[in-house]
Amino acid sequence: MPETRRALGADGLVTLKELALLGALDGTEKLSCSDLAGRLDASTQTASRRLQRLDEEGYLERDIVSDGQWVEVTTAGERRLQAEYADYRRLFERDAGVSLTGVITSGMGEGRHYITLSGYMRQFTELLGYEPYPGTLNIDLTEESVRRRAHLGAIEPITIDGWEDEERTYGPAYCYPATIIAEDRYEPAHVIAPERTHHGDDHLEVIAPDRLRDTLGLQDDDEVTVDVEQR
Amino acid sequence: MPETRRALGADGLVTLKELALLGALDGTEKLSCSDLAGRLDASTQTASRRLQRLDEEGYLERDIVSDGQWVEVTTAGERRLQAEYADYRRLFERDAGVSLTGVITSGMGEGRHYITLSGYMRQFTELLGYEPYPGTLNIDLTEESVRRRAHLGAIEPITIDGWEDEERTYGPAYCYPATIIAEDRYEPAHVIAPERTHHGDDHLEVIAPDRLRDTLGLQDDDEVTVDVEQR
DNA sequence: ATTACTAAGCACCGAGTAA
DNA sequence: TTTACTCGGTGCTTAGTAA
């Protein structure tokens, strides 16, 4: 469990969510402590202190001006809210899979580099039951699928541990069993994503035993559907 | 805002969510205070106290036995979690509408009785811009749509206030602007739902200016889609 | 009007203990 | 083992105040 989850108390989470609902997720939002105090049903002092703490803990950026302050939830804050959202999705939508659509793109080929590293490849073989083709299928998601991507949080992933060599560390990743559906064919595969994904990331990478461009007859700009299954 | 939202503190909510994740939403779940303490990263005393409070406040049913306790989240507890879930959906899926499908049913005709009461009808005329046909179209939702129904929480409803006469009180209701799509026709309408809806309710009621069975040519067991729009 | 400090109070926490 | 009590300490909250 990331340390950030520990640093943020229950009250901090409630406050952060309230700020996000006020619009501080999408950009900077102007408010005063008494605004927030009203929403939290607490004193202005408490609102002030909560804002200070969230700032100190790195969940909030603040710019204090004479008649209030401009606040914006940081990436860390958004991650925390996403994690919470995933919990609730697990509660109320545990049976639902996630279906994402997008078009094939060449991407930047960096996925290929990472998955072929032995530290990852060894785990793929063990946890997925096959040795992936040394490259990733890159998909640019539609706008709606970008939003739905968050629903992956409700699905139990296969966790690929991070590791390190002499030079650097390599972060953990999640694998989600999926079916890739092209015009007239489909193949089992896995969506692979870094443990930490941002809200708004429109890119999806897929691995499979064989080269999916061949087995599915795909080329750039072809549309595919990725059905991620609940295990 | 319902008073229950005030009674449950931030820590209580965290605890309730944890219990739900453990399975106490679907039925009775056995656990001990030390189990819960571990998950909450707190002492067994705190776990014990939190369980007591949730019980007292009506969010939890408990049955204490010699080697632990059986717990189950109550309807009030589930409502509270649903409300929280709706907040998170509002954060991360504010642009998405909800599409529900089901089949026409005769229902029990009780919707007709309520909506024709002047206390409601007056508000419909003012807030929806039309005087509804004095009856509701009743739809039995598919299993998947029953789950998706929860997503209505992410949509800003038109709120119909509750009221009372000499004899009894009538609860508030939510209206959601929607398009009802039949085989070959569609009509603008509103989904109407009591403010407090249960998880698992498979029934949907729709009102419109004219009798939808006529304008859409519908009869029992016909399939319709209800597209609820984000305003 | 703001934000945020200080100080007093209260609630919550966990250790110890009982049943 | 359990649950849950008492009790002492800590930390959060609010009132008052400063800037």
Side-chain angles (χ1 to χ4, degrees):
Chain A
M1 197 174 291
E3 61 206 343
T4 50
R5 299 199 67 154
R6 206 147 288 176
L8 186 67
D11 290 328
L13 180 61
V14 166
T15 310
L16 190 63
K17 191 197 73 175
E18 204 58 52
L19 293 169
L21 285 169
L22 283 167
L25 251 186
D26 305 308
T28 299
E29 184 74 15
K30 176 101 176 277
L31 59 87
S32 75
C33 287
S34 61
D35 293 341
L36 181 60
R39 293 198 157 248
L40 294 174
D41 202 21
S43 67
T44 55
Q45 293 89 332
T46 293
S48 171
R49 208 169 358 85
R50 296 257 185 103
L51 288 167
Q52 286 177 66
R53 273 202 74 170
L54 287 173
D55 189 352
E56 283 163 20
E57 293 169 343
Y59 295 105
L60 208 62
E61 291 281 1
R62 294 197 300 160
D63 184 14
I64 297 164
V65 293
S66 64
D67 65 337
Q69 52 195 292
W70 293 87
V71 300
E72 179 168 19
V73 175
T74 62
T75 307
E78 183 168 331
R79 262 203 304 266
R80 184 62 190 84
L81 291 168
Q82 284 269 6
E84 196 67 13
Y85 178 39
D87 279 346
Y88 283 98
R89 276 197 50 90
R90 229 168 250 135
L91 287 183
F92 295 113
E93 308 205 27
R94 78 197 68 180
D95 306 324
V98 179
S99 193
L100 304 173
T101 61
V103 295
I104 303 301
T105 173
S106 298
M108 292 167 291
E110 56 179 27
R112 179 192 189 100
H113 170 244
Y114 286 108
I115 71 159
T116 55
L117 296 171
S118 66
Y120 288 128
M121 198 52 97
R122 205 177 328 115
Q123 295 186 69
F124 292 144
T125 309
E126 183 188 340
L127 298 170
L128 307 185
Y130 62 87
E131 179 171 302
Y133 169 81
T136 61
L137 183 71
N138 293 265
I139 299 167
D140 267 343
L141 297 173
T142 64
E143 201 184 326
E144 201 199 332
S145 290
V146 172
R147 289 194 299 266
R148 288 230 294 268
R149 190 191 217 287
H151 297 190
L152 284 180
I155 293 181
E156 188 75 31
I158 297 162
T159 302
I160 307 293
D161 295 324
W163 50 285
E164 51 187 308
D165 61 16
E166 297 78 20
E167 291 163 31
R168 52 162 290 191
T169 61
Y170 297 86
Y174 289 148
C175 283
Y176 301 90
T179 303
I180 315 304
I181 304 167
E183 182 108 10
D184 53 354
R185 278 171 275 186
Y186 61 90
E187 279 292 325
H190 286 88
V191 170
I192 180 160
E195 189 184 43
R196 307 199 147 180
T197 312
H198 297 347
H199 180 44
D201 183 2
D202 67 345
H203 203 71
L204 204 68
E205 298 200 44
V206 174
I207 59 177
D210 299 303
R211 187 169 185 267
L212 287 167
R213 281 181 184 257
D214 296 335
T215 51
L216 293 174
L218 291 169
Q219 46 188 306
D220 278 5
D221 299 322
D222 283 354
E223 188 178 305
V224 292
T225 296
V226 180
D227 264 348
V228 183
E229 299 117 28
Q230 186 69 261
R231 288 186 296 167
Chain B
M1 199 173 293
E3 62 206 340
T4 51
R5 299 198 67 154
R6 207 146 288 177
L8 186 66
D11 289 329
L13 180 61
V14 166
T15 310
L16 191 63
K17 191 196 74 175
E18 204 58 52
L19 293 169
L21 285 169
L22 283 167
L25 251 187
D26 305 307
T28 298
E29 184 75 16
K30 173 103 176 277
L31 60 87
S32 75
C33 287
S34 62
D35 293 340
L36 180 60
R39 293 197 158 251
L40 294 175
D41 202 21
S43 66
T44 54
Q45 293 89 332
T46 294
S48 170
R49 216 167 344 91
R50 296 257 185 104
L51 289 167
Q52 285 176 67
R53 273 202 73 172
L54 287 173
D55 189 353
E56 283 163 20
E57 292 169 343
Y59 296 105
L60 208 64
E61 290 282 0
R62 295 197 300 160
D63 184 14
I64 297 164
V65 292
S66 63
D67 64 338
Q69 51 195 294
W70 293 88
V71 300
E72 179 169 18
V73 174
T74 63
T75 307
E78 183 167 330
R79 261 202 306 265
R80 183 62 190 86
L81 291 169
Q82 284 268 5
E84 196 67 12
Y85 177 41
D87 279 345
Y88 282 98
R89 275 197 51 90
R90 229 169 252 136
L91 286 182
F92 295 114
E93 308 206 28
R94 76 198 66 180
D95 307 323
V98 179
S99 193
L100 305 173
T101 62
V103 296
I104 303 301
T105 173
S106 298
M108 292 167 292
E110 56 179 26
R112 179 192 190 100
H113 170 245
Y114 285 108
I115 70 159
T116 56
L117 296 171
S118 67
Y120 288 128
M121 198 53 96
R122 206 178 328 116
Q123 295 185 68
F124 292 144
T125 309
E126 183 188 341
L127 297 170
L128 307 185
Y130 63 86
E131 179 170 303
Y133 169 82
T136 61
L137 183 72
N138 292 265
I139 300 168
D140 268 344
L141 298 173
T142 64
E143 200 183 326
E144 202 200 331
S145 289
V146 171
R147 288 195 300 265
R148 288 230 295 266
R149 190 190 216 288
H151 297 190
L152 284 181
I155 293 181
E156 187 74 31
I158 297 162
T159 303
I160 307 293
D161 295 324
W163 50 286
E164 51 186 310
D165 60 15
E166 297 78 20
E167 291 163 31
R168 53 162 288 193
T169 62
Y170 297 86
Y174 289 148
C175 282
Y176 302 89
T179 302
I180 315 304
I181 305 166
E183 182 108 8
D184 54 354
R185 277 172 274 186
Y186 61 90
E187 279 292 325
H190 286 88
V191 170
I192 181 162
E195 189 185 43
R196 307 201 149 178
T197 312
H198 297 348
H199 180 44
D201 184 3
D202 67 346
H203 203 71
L204 203 69
E205 298 201 44
V206 174
I207 59 177
D210 298 304
R211 188 170 184 266
L212 287 167
R213 281 180 183 257
D214 295 336
T215 51
L216 293 174
L218 292 169
Q219 48 189 302
D220 278 6
D221 299 322
D222 284 353
E223 186 177 308
V224 291
T225 296
V226 180
D227 263 349
V228 182
E229 298 118 28
Q230 186 67 261
R231 289 186 297 166

